[in-house]
């Protein structure tokens, strides 16, 4: 609701509303809008705990083939352009926003973020392999810096790295570790869990063998602590040029205690509509004029809302 208060303050300060009668009518209208907004805040989506497969089993030939197929993550899907509700939950705040998400797989990504009953634009976020730009429209601030794990965490509360973040938003995460990196396989609740050794610790890859989809991915550090978790649900079949895949419409990213932030942070994305493989184009970001520039590399945790 922080954006709603800011919106109310900014509207009441407009010169055209200085007349007392007009101001009183505007207050009544905005009060009604805030009530509607409050109702939307009550319908808040958070992520509950998920029971993981726990029964040890052998790595069978069909398991290996399933792992190869699912971790390839439908490479024929190259881009996404969609509209989604986004819920952000941290120990200090809850926020629901609406976003136009554009992703060129393996390239750049952009999120145009709106909030409130009238979809008031609040942020324009642009990522490429090297750089990160966030225009905080409410306060006319431009955050810019390297596209690093630390800077992504400062802005989004997710420290999974740019490639993993962009593929998570797409709903298709490529897992590069080969079969030889699998250290164990567990089964339970109709799922298979592959534990895979990685460069920074390990990954737990949860796959539904019936639908052949990735339903969860947990990243663990070198001592076995879960640092990030991704969950995927509400799958939709996408067919392009004779090839098809099930792609999730709802994605949840969870970040646990890290060096920058304490407690659990959640980012839930639920797509209302989306298109895949639109004609190739570059996602351009126009630098705003007269915005206060903030170097993300030189600051601590910064909220863009």
């Amino acid at each position: 609701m922080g954006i709603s208060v800011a919106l109310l303050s900014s509207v009441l300060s407009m010169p055209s509303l200085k007349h007392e009668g007009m101001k009183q009518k505007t207050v009544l209208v905005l009060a009604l809008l805030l009530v509607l907004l409050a109702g939307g805040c009550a319908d808040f989506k958070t992520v509950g705990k998920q029971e993981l497969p726990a029964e040890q089993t052998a790595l069978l030939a069909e398991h290996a083939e399933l792992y190869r197929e699912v971790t390839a993550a439908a490479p024929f899907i190259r881009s996404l352009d969609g509209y989604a509700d986004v819920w952000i939950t941290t120990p200090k705040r809850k926020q629901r926003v609406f976003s136009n998400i554009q992703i060129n797989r393996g390239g750049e990504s952009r999120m145009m973020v709106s909030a409130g009953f009238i979809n008031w634009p609040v942020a324009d976020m642009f990522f490429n392999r090297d750089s990160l730009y966030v225009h905080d429209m409410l306060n006319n601030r431009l955050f810019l810096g390297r596209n690093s794990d630390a800077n992504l965490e400062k802005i989004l509360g997710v420290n999974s790295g740019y490639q993993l973040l962009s593929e998570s938003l797409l709903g298709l995460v490529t897992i590069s570790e080969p079969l030889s990196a699998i250290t164990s396989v567990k089964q339970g609740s109709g799922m298979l869990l592959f534990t895979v050794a990685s460069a920074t610790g390990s990954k737990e890859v949860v796959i539904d063998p019936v639908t052949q989809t990735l339903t969860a991915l947990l990243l663990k550090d070198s001592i076995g602590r879960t640092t990030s978790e991704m969950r995927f649900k509400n799958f939709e079949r996408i067919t392009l040029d004779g090839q098809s895949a099930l792609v999730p419409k709802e994605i949840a990213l969870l970040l646990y205690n890290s060096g920058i932030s304490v407690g659990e942070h959640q980012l839930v994305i639920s797509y209302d509509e989306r298109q895949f493989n639109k004609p190739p184009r570059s996602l351009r970001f126009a630098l705003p004029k007269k915005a206060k520039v903030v170097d993300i590399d030189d600051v601590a945790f910064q909220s863009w809302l």
Side-chain angles (χ1 to χ4, degrees), residues 60-99:
L60 304 177
E62 55 263 35
H63 295 164
E65 183 57 33
L66 178 68
Y67 178 85
R68 289 193 193 97
E69 176 67 24
V70 173
T71 57
F76 67 91
I77 294 180
R78 300 181 300 274
S79 67
L80 174 146
D81 190 336
Y83 296 90
D85 289 299
V86 180
W87 292 265
I88 300 168
T89 306
T90 75
K92 294 184 177 179
R93 69 185 175 111
K94 287 187 175 182
Q95 188 69 55
R96 179 180 181 179
V97 296
F98 185 76
S99 183

Side-chain angles (χ1 to χ4, degrees), residues 13-63:
S13 64
M14 292 179 181
S16 60
L17 298 180
K18 292 301 183 180
H19 187 274
E20 192 63 29
M22 178 68 75
K23 192 170 182 179
Q24 289 176 352
K25 292 180 181 179
T26 304
V27 169
L28 290 174
V29 172
L30 289 176
L32 177 59
L33 287 178
L34 292 179
V35 169
L36 294 171
L37 286 166
C41 293
D43 182 24
F44 203 84
K45 186 168 292 191
T46 56
V47 184
K49 297 299 179 184
Q50 180 178 7
E51 184 177 349
L52 298 175
E55 179 187 345
Q56 198 75 36
T57 187
L59 176 61
L60 304 177
E62 55 263 35
H63 295 164

Side-chain angles (χ1 to χ4, degrees), residues 148-161:
S148 65
D149 292 12
N151 284 347
L152 281 173
E153 185 178 350
K154 290 175 186 177
I155 295 297
L156 280 177
V158 177
N159 69 348
S160 58

Side-chain angles (χ1 to χ4, degrees), residues 139-189:
N139 300 296
N140 199 27
R141 295 176 299 179
L142 174 65
F143 296 100
L144 55 82
R146 295 175 296 114
N147 192 349
S148 65
D149 292 12
N151 284 347
L152 281 173
E153 185 178 350
K154 290 175 186 177
I155 295 297
L156 280 177
V158 177
N159 69 348
S160 58
Y162 171 62
Q163 180 177 349
L164 193 55
L165 172 65
S166 61
E167 290 197 337
S168 295
L169 294 176
L170 181 65
L172 296 166
V173 178
T174 304
I175 298 170
S176 59
E177 284 78 10
L179 282 172
S180 58
I182 297 175
T183 59
S184 74
V185 182
K186 295 179 182 179
Q187 61 185 2
S189 303

Side-chain angles (χ1 to χ4, degrees), residues 45-47 80 83-88 101 103 158 160 164-173 214-217 229-235 247-254 266-272 274 276:
K45 186 168 292 191
T46 56
V47 184
L80 174 146
Y83 296 90
D85 289 299
V86 180
W87 292 265
I88 300 168
I101 299 175
I103 299 169
V158 177
S160 58
L164 193 55
L165 172 65
S166 61
E167 290 197 337
S168 295
L169 294 176
L170 181 65
L172 296 166
V173 178
L214 176 69
T215 62
L217 175 63
E229 182 176 347
M230 281 128 267
R231 299 188 197 168
F232 310 95
K233 59 190 298 187
N234 192 10
F235 288 83
V247 184
K249 296 184 71 174
E250 185 172 312
I251 299 117
L253 291 86
L254 295 88
Q266 299 183 6
L267 184 69
V268 180
I269 302 102
S270 181
Y271 284 99
D272 296 313
R274 56 189 175 170
F276 295 93

